[in-house]
Amino acid sequence: MLDNADLGKLILRVTLGGLLLFHGIAKLFNGIGFIESQLASHHLPTVLAYGVYIGEIIAPLMVLLGYHTRIGALIIIFNMIVAIALVHGHQLLALSSNGGWALELQGFFLFNALALVFLGPGRYKLKS
């Protein structure tokens, strides 16, 4: 018999990990020059840009597969806080042209990762 809570956690993991993974794959193909420029504009070492591969590829895979899910979710939270601070800080209290929060996507990733930190992976996961 299916446990609805475990199925819900699986859906949350697949959604968060799957959607964020697309961002990481795009960076694999298109590079991280934009992130390097953002870091440089904040007087931070550009080598830190390579951390996006951990935050948008490794961590989403961990969440997606249910392998050390809470650690992967914490990495995603850190990744999103850095992204908001570097690029989107001026939009924190802004609305988009269609009336939604200007940071809906970033908020989705951040708060769903936070939910997974508290919920854990559920039953449907890789053994860890």
Side-chain angles (χ1 to χ4, degrees):
M1 185 165 167
L2 287 176
D3 180 352
N4 286 340
D6 287 321
L7 186 58
K9 292 172 188 177
L10 175 64
I11 292 168
L12 181 60
R13 285 190 3 245
V14 169
T15 303
L16 174 62
L19 292 177
L20 188 54
L21 186 59
F22 286 120
H23 290 263
I25 291 169
K27 288 176 180 72
L28 272 177
F29 288 113
N30 301 317
I32 54 173
F34 174 74
I35 298 165
E36 290 173 323
S37 68
Q38 289 298 312
L39 287 164
S41 74
H42 287 82
H43 309 290
L44 295 168
T46 58
V47 71
L48 295 175
Y50 289 96
V52 77
Y53 293 126
I54 296 169
E56 293 186 11
I57 294 176
I58 303 297
L61 285 172
M62 292 169 70
V63 166
L64 189 63
L65 299 172
Y67 181 75
H68 296 289
T69 302
R70 286 186 165 109
I71 294 170
L74 283 170
I75 294 168
I76 291 170
I77 290 168
F78 179 77
N79 186 71
M80 294 316 305
I81 289 170
V82 170
I84 290 168
L86 286 179
V87 182
H88 304 286
H90 65 285
Q91 297 172 302
L92 200 54
L93 300 175
L95 297 177
S96 67
S97 60
N98 62 0
W101 184 30
L103 299 181
E104 284 177 350
L105 182 61
Q106 295 79 10
F108 168 84
F109 291 139
L110 175 66
F111 294 116
N112 280 281
L114 184 61
L116 279 175
V117 167
F118 289 105
L119 292 172
R123 184 180 346 167
Y124 309 113
K125 61 179 176 139
L126 288 180
K127 299 285 184 210
S128 58

